[in-house]
Amino acid sequence: MHISIIGGGAWGTTLGQVLVDNGHQVLIYDVKQENIDKINQKKHPFFDTILPDEVVATNSFDEAINFSTYYILSVPTKAIRSVLKQMNEKISKPSVFINVSKGIEPHSLKRVSEIVEEEIDHEKLAGFVALTGPSHAEEVILRHLTLLVAASTNNELAIDIQHVFSNEQYLRVYTSNDLIGSEVGGAVKNAIAVISGTCTGLGLGENARAAVITRGIVEIVRVVELMGGNKETAFGLTGIGDLIVTASSEHSRNFQAGKKLGLGQSLDQIYAEQKQTIEGIRTIEAMHDLSIKYHVDLPMINIAFDIIFNGLPVKEGLQKLLSRDLKSEDF
Ligand SMILES: NC(=O)C1=CN([C@@H]2O[C@H](COP(=O)(O)OP(=O)(O)OC[C@H]3O[C@@H](n4cnc5c(N)ncnc54)[C@H](OP(=O)(O)O)[C@@H]3O)[C@@H](O)[C@H]2O)C=CC1
Ligand SMILES: O=C(CO)COP(=O)(O)O
């Protein structure tokens, strides 16, 4: 198959290698010439890895669009809407969109599948799949064992994509028809990972991390149910699985950003130091909007919002969380 990859950062380039390993032809498009040059010199733009010769990149958007009718969306979610608008202008045939980015749009509270439906003309949209789950690019590029989920409301398409990406040596893909639950889990876990990193930055230990992960899944379940997904999905790879990997790993950009918050850095300092995508901060903003709009109780996320956007000192935020009314361990 021919597959175009829109976004040649850490994850898009890594998925390019997976697809080439599986015998497909890929063309990666990115706005950053430095990434394109590195990929074409067979160097991964972020990791010290030699790419297969068949992983090829271009700075021509038209070339990438004309290369195939299967598009992997691997740009940060903040860029998704504008990228889709551009794609809609250029696409002429019914196309499949495979989204691997993990976020929810602040204010509109839209998932990426909903943004695709809004921005791509009906006759050009042949299907949508979210490919998500616990998958640090740092490990997938080394072909280390990883499990993913291809989630779609179209089961046949989910099975097609499952086969396109699965590799018996290192990558096993499951399917799910709970698109909403899968998209929400993948997005909200990043917000919780920021909070987990903040605890580490504050000098807290494993007890705090277990507490954040466990109560984090409660906040994820509340959002999944509110948005119309299945609670059970939050306990699978796209929920707890991805939460564990992101909230407990020094590889995670979200965890690292949180750690810096815990060490007292401001958001501006964090963005200045960390150029790669940090989805969790924007998702904290979106979840704060959602919590106000729908009166959903998301205590950790809302305190994180006050710390990041309203200047609440981190230690005071922690104190506020601990001094809430005592209650039973409910969901
Ligand atoms: N890294 C990982 O392990 C995983 C990441 N993800 C998700 O995948 C998404 C991408 O992450 P990742 O690859 O790590 O992020 P990176 O920051 O490494 O890469 C994103 C790339 O997209 C480029 N980009 C931004 N805007 C556009 C645009 N309009 N058109 C084309 N390219 C654009 C960026 O360029 P520039 O830097 O100039 O903005 C950058 O090169 C995120 O949502 C992330 O949560 C999912 C699973 C694993
Ligand atoms: O989504 C990821 C792993 O599944 C990557 O997480 P980070 O963006 O925090 O590195």
Side-chain angles (χ1 to χ4, degrees), residues 44-107:
H44 191 288
F46 295 102
F47 312 132
D48 192 13
T49 315
I50 306 296
L51 295 169
D53 285 346
E54 298 83 355
V55 179
V56 180
T58 179
N59 60 8
S60 162
F61 188 64
D62 287 15
E63 197 189 346
I65 296 301
N66 294 332
F67 183 73
S68 81
T69 53
Y70 282 76
Y71 301 111
I72 295 181
L73 302 173
S74 52
V75 298
T77 47
K78 69 174 191 293
I80 288 270
R81 202 177 270 284
S82 66
V83 168
L84 288 168
K85 280 185 200 294
Q86 275 177 275
M87 291 177 81
N88 194 48
E89 304 258 299
K90 305 280 180 189
I91 289 173
S92 55
K93 297 181 192 143
S95 302
V96 171
F97 293 76
I98 304 157
N99 175 55
V100 300
S101 71
K102 294 174 177 170
I104 289 177
E105 199 170 51
H107 315 306

Side-chain angles (χ1 to χ4, degrees), residues 38-213:
K38 280 196 178 160
I39 294 168
N40 286 334
Q41 291 158 16
K42 306 308 151 202
K43 294 177 189 150
H44 191 288
F46 295 102
F47 312 132
D48 192 13
T49 315
I50 306 296
L51 295 169
D53 285 346
E54 298 83 355
V55 179
V56 180
T58 179
N59 60 8
S60 162
F61 188 64
D62 287 15
E63 197 189 346
I65 296 301
N66 294 332
F67 183 73
S68 81
T69 53
Y70 282 76
Y71 301 111
I72 295 181
L73 302 173
S74 52
V75 298
T77 47
K78 69 174 191 293
I80 288 270
R81 202 177 270 284
S82 66
V83 168
L84 288 168
K85 280 185 200 294
Q86 275 177 275
M87 291 177 81
N88 194 48
E89 304 258 299
K90 305 280 180 189
I91 289 173
S92 55
K93 297 181 192 143
S95 302
V96 171
F97 293 76
I98 304 157
N99 175 55
V100 300
S101 71
K102 294 174 177 170
I104 289 177
E105 199 170 51
H107 315 306
S108 78
L109 305 178
K110 297 275 158 90
R111 293 171 283 108
V112 173
S113 59
E114 296 176 295
I115 303 175
V116 168
E117 275 185 19
E118 283 179 3
E119 299 297 343
I120 303 295
D121 295 342
H122 185 69
E123 67 279 8
K124 298 178 186 173
L125 180 54
F128 179 92
V129 178
L131 186 69
T132 178
S135 48
H136 282 309
E138 288 84 348
E139 296 183 9
V140 177
I141 198 70
L142 298 174
R143 302 183 175 89
H144 287 178
L145 187 149
T146 301
L147 305 183
L148 288 173
V149 173
S152 180
T153 52
N154 175 341
N155 195 43
E156 251 175 60
L157 181 61
I159 293 171
D160 280 352
I161 299 306
Q162 173 183 46
H163 286 274
V164 167
F165 284 88
S166 288
N167 179 303
E168 287 182 7
Q169 303 303 313
Y170 63 95
L171 186 61
R172 182 170 170 81
V173 182
Y174 291 81
T175 60
S176 165
N177 60 11
D178 183 14
L179 177 60
I180 298 177
S182 303
E183 286 187 284
V184 170
V188 184
K189 65 87 189 175
N190 283 332
I192 307 297
V194 171
I195 297 165
S196 174
T198 308
C199 290
T200 299
L202 272 174
L204 304 178
E206 304 296 333
N207 295 351
R209 184 175 300 170
V212 168
I213 290 177

Side-chain angles (χ1 to χ4, degrees), residues 11 100 102 132-138 148 186 189-190 193-194 237 241-243 245-247 249-256 274 276-280:
W11 194 216
V100 300
K102 294 174 177 170
T132 178
S135 48
H136 282 309
E138 288 84 348
L148 288 173
K189 65 87 189 175
N190 283 332
V194 171
L237 289 165
D242 210 353
L243 179 60
V245 90
T246 317
S249 165
E250 298 280 335
H251 282 324
S252 161
R253 285 90 40 99
N254 288 290
F255 181 90
Q256 287 297 341
Q274 207 170 318
Q276 268 190 284
T277 308
I278 310 166
E279 293 280 13

Side-chain angles (χ1 to χ4, degrees), residues 211-242:
V212 168
I213 290 177
T214 315
R215 293 309 292 174
I217 203 72
V218 173
E219 297 193 21
I220 290 175
V221 163
R222 288 178 185 156
V223 181
V224 166
E225 288 193 311
L226 176 83
M227 289 191 149
N230 302 330
K231 178 178 178 170
E232 290 73 20
T233 305
F235 299 103
L237 289 165
T238 63
I240 189 85
D242 210 353

